[in-house]
Amino acid sequence: MSRALVLGGTGVIGRAVAGRLLADGWSVHVTGRDEARVPSALVDAGVRFSSVERDDEAGLREALGSGVDLLVDCLCFTAAHARSLIPLARHANSTVMMSSRAVYIDGDGNHVNSAVAPRFDGPVTEQQPTVAPGSMPYDSPEGYGPNKVAAERTLLDSGLPVTVLRPSRVHGPGALSPREWYFLKRALDRRPAVLLAGRGADHASAAVNIAALVALVADRPGRRILNAADPDAPDVLSISRIIAAAAGHSWREVLLGDDAPPGLGRHPWHRVPPIVLDLSAAYAVGYRPAGDYATTVQEELRWLMSSPPRAAGPANFDYAAEDAYLRSR
């Protein structure tokens, strides 16, 4: 039986990867901080859990044991993380590092966390320039991308068979800040209208589609970078309709102009101009998505309806301000 170790296996990507590998007949070991975040379905399927911090190198070596067929790191944010991963990767047939589309820059050097939105000429390929590697705090808008690039280069320069995946906006059960809740809560509250500031598209990446790509490269070890996203990139109007329909609701859609009050209708997919990842390289390797956005988002929506987020973010659900605007029109 093939064996996999998933670092950060209780997060939205890690649990999807574990589920896919278990379904494919793998023996799966995941690490994390809180065993309670391991879904019961994974426990029933036989996943093994170890409470290990990402910086606990001895604990990670113990979890690795004598070696694995596949090593997946969902928590590699810095060059230091990458350097600590290399000794483990030497005992794996294939290694996967989760990076991000946040590394890409446009012709003016802007990226998704810049003060100025990037403008790409078309679908973004893996050959698109990236930010320069850096070592500033990785949990900051300025430091996230540079640290990811530093981690990517450290691993790829090792010469080991490491696949770097660059997802876009990740969605799936277990997400700590589920973007879909912005529309789902409104649909469940039976709001008669939804306000939308902009109709830009921001490519989504279903965790199950990322997992499908991980399962693929597990059997095709190599040194490469691949974009990881859904096969389609619906705009926000389509996304709002998909989510409302899942809740059995429909509403009037109000597209806001530049004269609307600041912040009103600012949804999580506000991305103008749009960002779409080119998946040609993934398809060339043999990528077969689990489904499009409308299909793959359903499991997350069911999860959210069964266990709504505790912290809804009052600024995102200011119905009084929305109603006042609608009355003024």
Side-chain angles (χ1 to χ4, degrees), residues 123-147:
V124 180
T125 73
E126 293 83 353
Q127 285 69 49
Q128 183 74 24
T130 69
V131 295
S135 59
M136 63 283 284
Y138 71 85
D139 54 355
S140 66
E142 301 80 13
Y144 183 74
N147 275 280

Side-chain angles (χ1 to χ4, degrees), residues 64-267:
L64 183 77
S66 59
V68 293
D69 298 285
L70 173 65
L71 175 62
V72 181
D73 193 346
C74 301
L75 301 173
C76 189
F77 295 102
T78 68
H81 287 157
R83 286 191 293 271
S84 70
L85 186 66
I86 289 173
L88 305 181
R90 291 196 178 104
H91 298 280
N93 293 337
S94 181
T95 298
V96 177
M97 174 219 165
M98 293 298 162
S99 187
S100 169
R101 61 87 189 257
V103 303
Y104 292 123
I105 56 173
D106 66 8
D108 295 320
N110 296 315
H111 50 85
V112 295
N113 292 322
S114 296
V116 177
R119 288 183 173 272
F120 298 108
D121 295 332
V124 180
T125 73
E126 293 83 353
Q127 285 69 49
Q128 183 74 24
T130 69
V131 295
S135 59
M136 63 283 284
Y138 71 85
D139 54 355
S140 66
E142 301 80 13
Y144 183 74
N147 275 280
K148 280 290 190 182
V149 171
E152 288 182 2
R153 294 186 181 182
T154 298
L155 289 171
L156 294 172
D157 288 348
S158 71
L160 295 169
V162 176
T163 297
V164 172
L165 298 186
R166 291 174 174 168
S168 189
R169 294 223 149 187
V170 179
H171 62 96
L176 293 178
S177 299
R179 298 176 182 89
E180 282 69 20
W181 185 240
Y182 180 91
F183 289 130
L184 182 59
K185 176 173 170 53
R186 284 174 166 78
L188 295 174
D189 290 341
R190 296 309 191 235
R191 296 290 294 165
V194 61
L195 277 57
L196 300 173
R199 282 189 57 181
D202 201 353
H203 210 161
S205 298
V208 291
N209 282 334
I210 299 170
L213 196 47
V214 170
L216 172 69
V217 301
D219 294 327
R220 294 169 173 80
R223 183 172 166 272
R224 59 172 81 92
I225 299 173
L226 298 174
N227 287 333
D230 294 348
D232 59 333
D235 66 12
V236 69
L237 190 58
S238 299
I239 289 174
S240 70
R241 291 172 179 172
I242 290 168
I243 296 174
H249 185 55
S250 62
W251 43 32
R252 179 165 60 96
E253 295 142 348
V254 180
L255 302 180
L256 303 181
D258 295 336
D259 59 341
L264 198 67
R266 287 297 297 267
H267 48 79

Side-chain angles (χ1 to χ4, degrees), residues 9-85:
T10 62
V12 59
I13 296 177
R15 62 171 64 182
V17 169
R20 172 59 186 260
L21 295 174
L22 287 165
D24 289 348
W26 286 65
S27 170
V28 181
H29 189 170
V30 303
T31 69
R33 291 179 176 178
D34 184 4
E35 189 171 7
R37 283 185 52 80
V38 180
S40 58
L42 295 185
V43 175
D44 294 341
V47 72
R48 181 183 173 192
F49 173 82
S50 290
S51 179
V52 182
E53 294 283 346
R54 179 59 183 78
D55 295 328
D56 182 358
E57 296 184 16
L60 295 179
R61 286 196 300 271
E62 182 177 352
L64 183 77
S66 59
V68 293
D69 298 285
L70 173 65
L71 175 62
V72 181
D73 193 346
C74 301
L75 301 173
C76 189
F77 295 102
T78 68
H81 287 157
R83 286 191 293 271
S84 70
L85 186 66

